[in-house]
Amino acid sequence: MAGQDRGPVEFVVDETGGTVVMIDGHPQSYVDVDDPALLVFEYVQFLAAVVDALPEGAVAATHVGGAGLTLPRYVAHTRPGSPQIVLEPADAVTQAVRQALPLPRGHRIRVRPVDGRSGLRQLADDSADLVVVDAYAAGRVPAELTSTQWFTDVARVLRPGGLLAMNTADEPNRRHLARLHAGIALVLPHTAAIATSEVRKGRRFGNTVVVASAQPLPLTAITRRVAMTAFSATLLHGPSLAKALGSAQPFTDTDAETSPEPPGVEGWRVR
């Protein structure tokens, strides 16, 4: 998978003591080792909203993409004892993060230095309550994580009622998102999408978190939790989501594409 030969990792400490993890010149994670519940990026707050909508107690989580391990830290903090697998091919990134931003004591986070496609193939059927896909190389979602074949394998790993939560990014026209969503819906027909109002209305490039399951989603719980985030955001599902995205052909392994190139981050700030 793309991303194994990533550029150098940079750690940028802000005025509050939190750390931005920069990879390939792009902000990948924000970590406060003393407060794992502090989530700064909007899409991470949306992913956390999905985590919080799961039934109480420990959850078996698989994360495709690691970087600063922000969400695994959050899961370990809010749901102690949760067994978590992180598929992160850039072992040098993981080692740098572990040294600069140590994981909490007693965690059950296992990072495997393997790409998402081959790493997921090694996992047992019905082994995860949650699969989080948040993997980027040079600021773009790798093409191999957008195809119908990939999502079919994700569905295999999910337990009945388990959730997929995928962070992706797109231009205002949302054509890449529409094709990605079409592939997801083929194998996990109950879907929803979370985005800020500006992104949802097509006013700027930005992130969308797609949520999917083989069974009906806990929409009330997710919607309530999204409303508690620090961002003006909405959750679309059913006919509203279909209308927003329009019709599209799903990606396959033969025509899959990376997500669009993001705008420059010069002058980027956390707060």
Side-chain angles (χ1 to χ4, degrees):
M1 186 179 82
Q4 291 182 339
D5 299 321
R6 295 187 182 184
V9 185
E10 300 176 72
F11 299 96
V12 182
V13 180
D14 72 4
E15 62 272 17
T16 69
T19 301
V20 182
V21 181
M22 304 283 292
I23 303 174
D24 296 323
H26 297 273
Q28 293 281 68
S29 305
Y30 182 93
V31 177
D32 186 332
V33 293
D34 296 322
D35 186 3
L38 176 60
L39 307 175
V40 172
F41 296 168
E42 83 277 5
Y43 64 84
V44 181
Q45 292 194 22
F46 301 157
L47 291 171
V50 178
V51 173
D52 292 347
L54 288 166
E56 293 184 4
V59 297
T62 295
H63 305 262
V64 181
L69 304 172
T70 303
L71 197 67
R73 296 171 196 266
Y74 177 83
V75 173
H77 177 72
T78 60
R79 294 170 179 266
S82 293
Q84 301 187 73
I85 297 171
V86 181
L87 307 177
E88 171 53 70
D91 190 49
V93 170
T94 301
Q95 296 308 316
V97 167
R98 283 181 178 275
Q99 182 173 0
L101 304 166
L103 289 168
R105 292 183 178 180
H107 71 84
R108 296 186 63 192
I109 301 168
R110 293 182 294 161
V111 183
R112 297 182 178 179
V114 63
D115 65 82
R117 288 290 290 258
S118 58
L120 201 74
R121 281 196 293 267
Q122 297 169 15
L123 301 182
D125 295 0
D126 303 330
S127 59
D129 300 304
L130 173 70
V131 173
V132 177
V133 182
D134 185 18
Y136 284 75
R140 307 173 78 170
V141 179
E144 56 264 43
L145 302 184
T146 68
S147 73
T148 302
Q149 289 86 345
W150 159 248
F151 294 118
T152 298
D153 206 26
V154 170
R156 175 188 64 80
V157 170
L158 285 172
R159 292 171 176 167
L163 302 182
L164 162 68
M166 180 170 184
N167 172 41
T168 189
D170 201 0
E171 299 283 2
N173 64 20
R174 294 176 295 205
R175 296 325 300 156
H176 189 275
L177 171 63
R179 294 194 66 184
L180 181 143
H181 174 265
I184 293 173
L186 280 178
V187 293
L188 297 169
H190 299 276
T191 64
I194 310 167
T196 64
S197 297
E198 286 188 336
V199 171
R200 178 180 61 81
K201 294 176 182 178
R203 293 176 179 171
R204 66 172 178 84
F205 183 100
N207 295 78
T208 297
V209 169
V210 180
V211 190
S213 178
Q215 298 182 10
L217 295 169
L219 293 171
T220 300
I222 298 175
T223 301
R224 183 184 302 116
R225 182 62 179 79
V226 168
M228 296 169 61
T229 68
F231 301 90
S232 175
T234 54
L235 180 147
L236 295 180
H237 65 95
S240 296
L241 179 57
K243 181 179 179 181
L245 295 181
S247 62
Q249 289 296 316
F251 290 118
T252 68
D253 279 346
T254 58
D255 68 355
E257 301 174 1
T258 61
S259 62
E261 184 175 1
V265 296
E266 184 176 352
W268 180 89
R269 287 178 56 83
V270 176
R271 301 175 189 276

